[in-house]
Amino acid sequence: MKLKTFCLVLSLSFSLIFADANAQHTMTNVYGRNVQSLNGKWDAIIDLYDQGRKNKIFLNKKPEGKTDFYEYAFENGYLLNVPSDWNSQMPELKYYEGTIWYARRFDVTKERGKRLFLYFGAVSYRCRIYLNGKEIAEHEGGFTPFQLDITNTVKDKDNFLAVEVNNTRRVDAIPAMAFDWWNYGGITRDVFLLSTPETYIDDYFIQLDKYKTDKINASVKLSEKKANAVVTIEIPELQLKQTLKTDGNGEVKTSFATKKLKRWSTTSPTLYKVRVSSENDQVEEQIGFRNIWVKGEKVYLNDKAIFMKSISFHEEIPQRKGRAFSEADAVVLLTEAKALGCNMIRLAHYPQNEYIVRMAEKMGFLLWEEIPIWQGIDFKNEVTREKAGKMMREMVLRDKNRCALAFWGVANETQPSEPRNSFLKYLIETCKTIDTTRLITAACDLVRFDNKRQVFTMDDPFMKELDVVAVNKYMGWYHPWPVTPDKAIWEVARGKPLIVSEFGGEALYGKTGDADLVSSWSEDYQATLYRDNLEMFKHIPNLSGTSPWVLFDFRSPFRFHPTNQEDWNRKGLVSDQGYRKKAWYLMKEYYDSKH
Ligand code: GCU
């Protein structure tokens, strides 16, 4: 298993200023840039007792004198696929929580006037990066990308890259100590070498005005605070082109008037080529233009009230028992959602990979994206709050040009308290420093039946901060019916649109049983549960959308039942082997009946 030396023909040169090598938010549209993949088989060392950093194994020392010896070597040991979680690659790593070191070599060829970056799509959950024996960056957060400028630290030949990855759960982490999905660890998304001109196009935000149907707002930011640099923005199919000069921050801000725009929609997901050019750089991608806003108790997409026919899925391919990470995986997940008749995906419970986000946009799904503020988070901890803000920024910066993205979710099933309210308000403010155009929501779980009034109500002060209120409610599963479904009247969040962001119950595919017995774990009972919830939905006056939990059975270490679960959460409408359960057909019929 000789270490593959990677010969890369890349052009770059030393820059005059030592670039900041700490993990930064990524430049916009990495996938549209000049990238060279570092995916493949990397060497690995399993470091259960965290001895590697202490023993400086990132130096990758080899014995020279007669008395030298080292109790490690990266070569000829374990190999792990990148991208992928480690849990699904070796039986010994199924439940592994701890540190694993990844390493590989690569060569580069240098040319004047270029910069070189390392890009990681995601590393779960925290990591430190070492290049040629020097620690150059660290990152925390298992679901958002980061980049590091290595222009001044990279060598011509035989660069040794080591990544120390750790997925141990911690109280101050996001998510924290217990969450209902598998704690996958590893370099779980693409790794690229990214080459740019010395001064490159760092960021752009090009979207239809929130309320106008014929005005496209555009801002572009160069990597340097250079005034009077020339920037051109083009949308050729709309015959739109502007050439502008940057201000002292290296930025241009402008707008385009257009009468010919075909707005993106879930039934006609029109995308336009958008090209941004500067003196030495050029980036282009497909961007859609749509309006999304709330009026009263309805959500409007392009001036028309829309019912969100949503579904949730985890970033996981059940048959592989591992993280989804490729475009092919995205097609598998989204094709099943399309077959179900959905027009929206709630990407649970963390930012999922860009293949899923971009493919969803192409296929005509609205998206709800969130960072994993899942139940018990250390809301009193300032450090945790800063971490959450950084994850929010990394997510919004990455996906702000995706018109499919309609909702930013800021929490899932958090309990009311002053620290929680101020923590979540901070997340909303953080989001709005970048994007004020999308709808803010959160999945609450405080709907209760008011016996006196004989209606379902909810009392959560945080609702007033939301554009759209969402609730998770498991009637017929965690909560027995207090009244028959046809009498289940709701008075929740009136005056705002309401989405039932989770409902459902478990069934083991193929298991038949008593249609009235929850513990039967049968498809028959799951079908009863869906029939009853769909009946209840008729009595929610401000219902704007539903999102069954969940499209596929998924893995969770706290689903203990020895025959019904075996470490699987069985609320899927589709089994872990890809078979549709009876409830799938009820949901399909419901969505087909909604226009
Ligand atoms: C919660 C939570 C989900 C979880 C689900 C369940 O609502 O948001 O992440 O999987 O309940 O208990 O199955």
Side-chain angles (χ1 to χ4, degrees):
M1 282 184 264
K2 198 172 165 343
L3 245 187
K4 258 174 77 178
T5 351
F6 207 95
C7 181
L8 279 171
V9 184
L10 268 176
S11 53
L12 62 97
S13 77
F14 280 100
S15 79
L16 299 176
I17 308 137
F18 186 87
D20 164 11
N22 276 311
Q24 311 148 329
H25 72 264
T26 52
M27 60 187 82
T28 299
N29 185 18
V30 164
Y31 284 77
R33 305 253 187 182
N34 176 13
V35 296
Q36 192 75 39
S37 172
L38 287 181
N39 292 349
K41 289 196 177 301
W42 291 40
D43 288 292
I45 290 177
I46 300 172
D47 182 7
L48 185 58
Y49 293 161
D50 282 310
Q51 297 299 301
R53 180 178 167 81
K54 194 172 77 146
N55 296 325
K56 300 188 186 320
I57 65 171
F58 49 85
L59 297 172
N60 196 26
K61 285 236 179 225
K62 298 290 173 256
E64 283 157 13
K66 281 221 176 297
T67 55
D68 289 346
F69 72 94
Y70 295 96
E71 290 186 83
Y72 72 90
F74 280 97
E75 300 76 12
N76 307 318
Y78 291 119
L79 285 171
L80 287 176
N81 291 322
V82 169
S84 172
D85 58 273
W86 61 53
N87 313 70
S88 58
Q89 294 196 54
M90 290 164 56
E92 301 85 343
L93 298 181
K94 173 179 176 183
Y95 290 102
Y96 186 77
E97 283 197 4
T99 297
I100 291 186
W101 292 75
Y102 289 75
R104 68 160 303 143
R105 292 177 188 286
F106 63 90
D107 295 342
V108 292
T109 312
K110 300 190 175 181
E111 213 180 303
R112 298 208 63 71
K114 295 278 181 174
R115 308 194 67 75
L116 188 66
F117 296 85
L118 268 174
Y119 162 87
F120 290 84
V123 181
S124 182
Y125 164 82
R126 57 182 70 78
C127 64
R128 292 190 189 99
I129 316 285
Y130 305 81
L131 185 62
N132 300 325
K134 270 205 277 330
E135 180 177 347
I136 59 170
E138 61 181 15
H139 184 267
E140 179 172 348
F143 306 100
T144 45
F146 58 95
Q147 70 184 39
L148 8 143
D149 188 333
I150 58 169
T151 312
N152 297 309
T153 37
V154 75
K155 298 184 307 186
D156 249 325
K157 289 272 175 219
D158 199 27
N159 289 283
F160 182 71
L161 172 64
V163 183
E164 179 188 7
V165 182
N166 177 282
N167 72 330
T168 307
R169 287 162 298 116
R170 294 217 182 109
V171 169
D172 66 347
I174 298 160
M177 293 306 287
F179 39 89
D180 195 16
W181 63 86
W182 208 261
N183 181 21
Y184 289 114
I187 303 179
T188 48
R189 295 183 192 162
D190 289 332
V191 182
F192 296 146
L193 278 169
L194 173 55
S195 164
T196 70
E198 180 57 56
T199 298
Y200 58 92
I201 296 163
D202 178 33
D203 186 32
Y204 55 83
F205 188 8
I206 302 172
Q207 284 285 289
L208 190 61
D209 184 86
K210 180 162 175 78
Y211 294 107
K212 294 204 170 55
T213 62
D214 56 2
K215 180 185 178 194
I216 293 174
N217 296 320
S219 63
V220 178
K221 195 168 183 318
L222 298 182
S223 56
E224 310 299 332
K225 293 186 176 352
K226 223 184 230 177
N228 296 320
V230 174
V231 168
T232 301
I233 305 165
E234 300 170 77
I235 309 176
E237 292 122 293
L238 295 176
Q239 287 85 46
L240 294 174
K241 180 173 181 175
Q242 284 187 33
T243 298
L244 307 125
K245 292 275 181 70
T246 55
D247 63 15
N249 284 326
E251 253 186 304
V252 299
K253 283 191 174 39
T254 186
S255 61
F256 295 85
T258 172
K259 295 281 181 231
K260 295 193 292 193
L261 183 63
K262 200 168 169 307
R263 287 182 289 176
W264 180 95
S265 74
T266 54
T267 49
S268 170
T270 308
L271 299 174
Y272 289 90
K273 183 194 288 181
V274 176
R275 187 179 305 127
V276 180
S277 331
S278 67
E279 201 176 334
N280 304 315
D281 200 6
Q282 185 172 93
V283 198
E284 64 182 56
E285 64 175 307
Q286 298 284 313
I287 291 184
F289 303 100
R290 54 98 190 94
N291 297 105
I292 188 107
W293 63 59
V294 161
K295 212 160 42 184
E297 296 185 333
K298 294 195 178 311
V299 173
Y300 287 76
L301 174 64
N302 301 333
D303 328 312
K304 204 162 149 275
I306 183 169
F307 186 85
M308 266 58 73
K309 303 186 276 188
S310 182
I311 191 76
S312 277
F313 53 64
H314 272 287
E315 189 185 40
E316 179 183 73
I317 298 295
Q319 293 87 333
R320 203 168 61 217
K321 295 189 180 176
R323 277 266 172 256
F325 53 75
S326 66
E327 186 163 67
D329 291 342
V331 172
V332 166
L333 299 172
L334 292 163
T335 304
E336 187 59 33
K338 189 59 87 175
L340 184 61
C342 300
N343 63 11
M344 174 165 149
I345 312 282
R346 180 189 172 196
L347 294 173
H349 280 291
Y350 35 75
Q352 301 194 9
N353 66 66
E354 273 203 83
Y355 294 114
I356 290 176
V357 171
R358 287 174 180 272
M359 184 62 71
E361 182 172 75
K362 282 201 183 83
M363 292 172 70
F365 291 102
L366 285 169
L367 291 175
W368 159 331
E369 225 177 2
E370 58 192 47
I371 63 171
I373 302 291
W374 193 90
Q375 296 186 5
I377 297 291
D378 194 1
F379 290 121
K380 294 192 179 97
N381 185 331
E382 274 301 306
V383 172
T384 305
R385 188 169 107 146
E386 285 316 304
K387 280 180 204 172
K390 184 167 167 289
M391 289 177 193
M392 199 79 195
R393 261 192 306 282
E394 289 172 344
M395 171 176 75
V396 177
L397 281 171
R398 186 193 79 173
D399 293 338
K400 62 185 183 291
N401 288 309
R402 303 279 68 78
C403 68
L405 252 178
F407 301 90
W408 297 120
V410 292
N412 184 72
E413 301 193 346
T414 56
Q415 298 315 307
S417 72
E418 209 302 312
R420 169 265 210 167
N421 294 347
S422 73
F423 189 108
L424 298 186
K425 273 188 219 162
Y426 168 69
L427 290 187
I428 294 174
E429 285 149 22
T430 304
C431 172
K432 290 186 171 176
T433 59
I434 302 163
D435 172 31
T436 57
T437 66
R438 291 176 174 87
L439 305 177
I440 300 289
T441 188
C444 314
D445 72 336
L446 295 175
V447 172
R448 296 285 177 268
F449 187 69
D450 178 331
N451 272 306
K452 214 156 88 262
R453 294 178 51 205
Q454 286 290 298
V455 290
F456 285 86
T457 62
M458 182 163 82
D459 176 16
D460 186 334
F462 192 66
M463 280 195 287
K464 65 182 181 307
E465 308 296 338
L466 305 175
D467 297 312
V468 175
V469 175
V471 292
N472 298 347
K473 189 65 187 170
Y474 285 88
M475 290 312 300
W477 188 255
Y478 298 122
H479 307 287
W481 292 91
V483 290
T484 53
D486 59 330
K487 300 272 184 306
I489 318 295
W490 284 42
E491 276 300 313
V492 175
R494 288 313 305 269
K496 291 190 174 184
L498 178 73
I499 295 180
V500 176
S501 41
E502 288 185 34
F503 71 94
E506 300 206 17
L508 185 62
Y509 173 73
K511 190 163 185 193
T512 56
D514 184 336
D516 290 334
L517 187 65
V518 182
S519 59
S520 70
W521 240 274
S522 65
E523 286 192 54
D524 307 288
Y525 180 75
Q526 191 188 43
T528 301
L529 181 148
Y530 268 76
R531 252 186 234 103
D532 291 347
N533 276 271
L534 296 180
E535 171 57 36
M536 175 174 71
F537 294 160
K538 294 175 190 165
H539 314 292
I540 306 180
N542 54 333
L543 184 68
S544 261
T546 57
S547 196
W549 186 259
V550 66
L551 186 53
F552 296 96
D553 288 355
F554 64 93
R555 300 175 74 204
S556 169
F558 65 60
R559 298 297 171 176
F560 307 130
H561 196 285
T563 52
N564 293 328
Q565 292 179 316
E566 305 167 281
D567 278 347
W568 288 89
N569 181 315
R570 299 280 185 203
K571 294 189 182 70
L573 290 171
V574 183
S575 76
D576 58 296
Q577 293 304 309
Y579 294 106
R580 293 167 181 169
K581 302 173 192 176
K582 286 180 178 154
W584 186 98
Y585 298 91
L586 296 173
M587 206 59 218
K588 166 76 178 159
E589 193 184 345
Y590 178 73
Y591 277 168
D592 287 354
S593 72
K594 288 277 175 192
H595 297 293

